[in-house]
């Protein structure tokens, strides 16, 4: 995996921060409010829970990448599929464009993609909810491992793109980089940083994020078409 792909994955996570805050904002608030009242103002305790939860969440992304990359590699070897990587990159480009349009409130098609993960989440959701309130880092890690499977169009788009990088290792590293890119928003939202929350929902920030995601999606499409044609 080259350095450009690594930083592209980080950037996708960073640009999708507004979506991440919307999807996971509730659990981030629950992490802070789950502490006993006398510890609510203890930033050290709060950041320990946030770090543990987000660590578990990122591990779940890496696990998803490993599972899907293993399946994709096995299927391509079994059926001798040609151009499967280019096909995945083509799909990833479309999904990234859809993500950009979604952030700009121009298209809600990505919500249909998120429905693909609902069967898995319906099984995990009851177990995830039982972890609340989260009062200890070990419990936060387990909660992150579960909540990381919450249906999310941004994660699915990145997963498909990561699969197109051609190996199980590359896919796992890309999902790790993507998870790291989401950390700033998750930490600051969880720490109740009001100024940062306002930035995430600001129309200018969302527009810039949308344009950059769409541009990278178009770039990904051109690469895929060049491999196919």
């Amino acid at each position: 995996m080259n350095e450009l792909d690594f930083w592209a994955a980080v950037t996708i996570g960073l640009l999708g921060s507004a979506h991440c805050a919307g999807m996971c904002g509730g659990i981030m608030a629950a992490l802070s409010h789950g502490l006993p009242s006398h510890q609510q103002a203890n930033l050290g305790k709060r950041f320990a829970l946030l770090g543990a939860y987000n660590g578990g969440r990122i591990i779940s992304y890496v696990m998803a990448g490993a599972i899907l990359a293993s399946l994709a590699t096995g299927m391509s070897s079994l059926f001798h599929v040609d151009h499967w990587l280019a096909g995945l990159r083509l799909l990833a480009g479309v999904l990234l464009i859809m993500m950009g349009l979604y952030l700009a409130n121009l298209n809600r098609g990505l919500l249909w993609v998120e429905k693909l993960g609902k069967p898995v989440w319906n099984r995990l959701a009851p177990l995830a909810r039982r972890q609340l309130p989260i009062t200890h880092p070990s419990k936060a890690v387990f909660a992150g491992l579960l909540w990381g499977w919450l249906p999310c169009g941004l994660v699915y788009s990145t997963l498909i793109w990561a699969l197109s990088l051609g190996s199980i290792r590359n896919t796992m590293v890309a999902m790790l980089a993507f998870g790291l890119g989401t950390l700033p928003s998750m930490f600051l939202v969880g720490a109740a940083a009001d100024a940062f929350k306002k930035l995430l929902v600001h129309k200018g920030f969302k527009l810039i994020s949308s344009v950059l995601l769409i541009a990278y999606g178009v770039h990904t499409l051109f690469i895929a078409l060049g491999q196919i044609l």
Side-chain angles (χ1 to χ4, degrees):
M1 182 180 184
N2 61 48
E3 188 175 344
L4 178 61
D5 287 332
F6 179 88
W7 287 108
V10 173
T11 304
I12 291 170
L14 192 61
L15 293 176
S17 291
H19 186 64
C20 291
M23 293 287 288
C24 299
I27 184 65
M28 292 292 99
L31 283 169
S32 296
H33 296 304
L35 289 170
S37 57
H38 67 279
Q39 294 182 355
Q40 288 287 328
N42 189 323
L43 285 179
K45 292 277 187 181
R46 189 177 297 182
F47 274 98
L49 291 183
L50 289 171
Y53 169 81
N54 284 292
R57 180 177 59 85
I58 293 173
I59 289 172
S60 74
Y61 296 161
V62 176
M63 289 171 57
I67 292 169
L68 290 182
S70 298
L71 290 173
T73 301
M75 292 289 286
S76 65
S77 299
L78 182 63
F79 296 106
H80 305 288
V81 179
D82 294 326
H83 299 305
W84 71 278
L85 288 178
L88 282 175
R89 194 175 286 270
L90 196 68
L91 177 58
V94 172
L95 289 174
L96 287 170
I97 292 171
M98 289 175 65
M99 186 71 229
L101 293 174
Y102 174 80
L103 286 179
N105 293 319
L106 295 175
N107 186 284
R108 311 290 287 181
L110 204 67
L111 296 178
W112 290 96
V113 177
E114 291 180 352
K115 290 182 179 180
L116 297 174
K118 281 194 173 181
V120 174
W121 179 242
N122 287 340
R123 293 180 177 274
L124 294 177
L127 183 58
R129 293 191 192 101
R130 283 202 291 271
Q131 306 311 307
L132 302 174
I134 298 171
T135 56
H136 192 274
S138 61
K139 199 173 183 181
V141 170
F142 187 58
L145 285 169
L146 293 171
W147 283 88
W149 296 92
L150 181 72
C152 174
L154 178 64
V155 175
Y156 295 165
S157 303
T158 309
L159 262 174
I160 298 299
W161 171 77
L163 283 172
S164 73
L165 296 179
S167 74
I168 297 173
R169 178 184 176 277
N170 285 350
T171 302
M172 293 173 67
V173 172
M175 292 310 295
L176 171 63
F178 164 76
L180 293 175
T182 66
L183 278 181
S185 64
M186 291 297 94
F187 261 97
L188 290 170
V189 168
D194 292 333
F196 191 77
K197 289 180 185 177
K198 290 178 181 177
L199 171 63
L200 289 180
V201 299
H202 192 276
K203 288 184 179 180
F205 177 81
K206 293 179 75 171
L207 179 61
I208 292 172
S209 298
S210 300
V211 170
L212 291 175
L213 279 172
I214 291 170
Y216 192 73
V218 171
H219 171 71
T220 303
L221 283 178
F222 273 110
I223 293 176
L225 289 172
Q227 292 173 334
I228 293 173
L229 299 178

